[in-house]
Amino acid sequence: MSIRHGLLALLTQGPRYGYQLRVEFEASTGATWPLNIGQVYTTLSRMERDGLVAPGEQDDQGRVVYAITEKGRSELSRWFGTPIAQADRPRDELVIKLAMAVTAPGVEVRQVVQAQRTATMRTLQNLTRAKRAEAGTAQRLVLDSMIFQAEAEQRWLDHCEAVIASLSPNTPPPADPSRTAPSSQE
């Protein structure tokens, strides 16, 4: 995720100092991606170096406020207008974990899948509860995205389990209490 672009977007609302940016970033994302204050100031420093922000005067408490520059606005506009490519996203640790589990001797892959399924279901329940409590549009969109990702992960785990079962048909898949029983029409 681009902290840089998130901070630039916040600065379009007016000059801010680092702590304000951190608080507003976390509020906008429903505190889903907490920021370290050092990360905020490091990013601001790099953006200043790149001409995307300009520091202002210190306030009474010694805090420096930053403002977005025209170059920063252009960069933000470019970012908003450019789709994020799948290849630009970080590696998926779960995919790597399951790929390695399949090839590692002595690993019970079904147990790895089942442990992940349980954790993902718990995450999905927590996200759903958080969504009911949230009021802001930005927070809701972030939570919706995370819910959809968790649902997709559950479907992918179903697929993994089916592939594993097809490769070793003598071993039934583990019982999963979080999944519904098949209907009589199946």
Side-chain angles (χ1 to χ4, degrees):
M1 190 199 55
S2 177
I3 304 299
R4 172 184 185 121
H5 293 101
L7 297 180
L8 285 172
L10 291 170
L11 287 170
T12 62
Q13 300 169 32
R16 306 275 195 281
Y17 56 90
Y19 185 77
Q20 283 177 304
L21 289 166
R22 176 180 167 242
V23 168
E24 290 178 24
F25 182 93
E26 290 180 0
S28 294
T29 61
T32 306
W33 297 291
L35 290 180
N36 177 300
I37 194 65
Q39 184 178 17
V40 172
Y41 282 108
T42 299
T43 303
L44 285 169
S45 177
R46 288 182 185 141
M47 290 192 304
E48 180 183 353
R49 175 199 66 203
D50 296 340
L52 304 175
V53 299
E57 297 297 318
Q58 289 187 0
D59 67 8
D60 320 357
Q61 298 173 348
R63 299 175 296 204
V64 175
V65 296
Y66 291 84
I68 190 168
T69 63
E70 280 308 311
K71 185 176 179 183
R73 288 182 193 282
S74 294
E75 171 62 19
L76 185 61
S77 180
R78 185 202 59 76
W79 182 65
F80 279 134
T82 305
I84 305 298
Q86 191 70 27
D88 292 340
R89 298 177 187 173
R91 291 181 184 96
D92 187 326
E93 187 174 348
L94 175 58
V95 174
I96 294 168
K97 183 179 195 176
L98 286 179
M100 294 300 123
V102 168
T103 61
V107 176
E108 180 51 56
V109 181
R110 288 190 174 121
Q111 289 176 354
V112 174
V113 170
Q114 188 57 39
Q116 186 64 43
R117 180 188 311 285
T118 300
T120 303
M121 184 56 68
R122 192 174 312 115
T123 297
L124 190 54
Q125 292 166 345
N126 291 338
L127 290 168
T128 302
R129 275 193 291 276
K131 181 179 167 183
R132 287 188 208 121
E134 291 297 327
T137 303
Q139 294 93 341
R140 180 176 178 183
L141 292 174
V142 169
L143 290 168
D144 283 343
S145 174
M146 294 176 79
I147 288 168
F148 291 150
Q149 289 170 14
E151 290 170 343
E153 184 172 291
Q154 288 288 38
R155 287 190 306 275
W156 182 72
L157 290 169
D158 290 344
H159 172 76
C160 290
E161 193 170 69
V163 168
I164 292 164
S166 73
L167 297 175
S168 52
N170 297 334
T171 310
D176 181 2
S178 68
R179 295 171 67 186
T180 58
S183 69
S184 59
Q185 296 177 343
E186 288 186 327

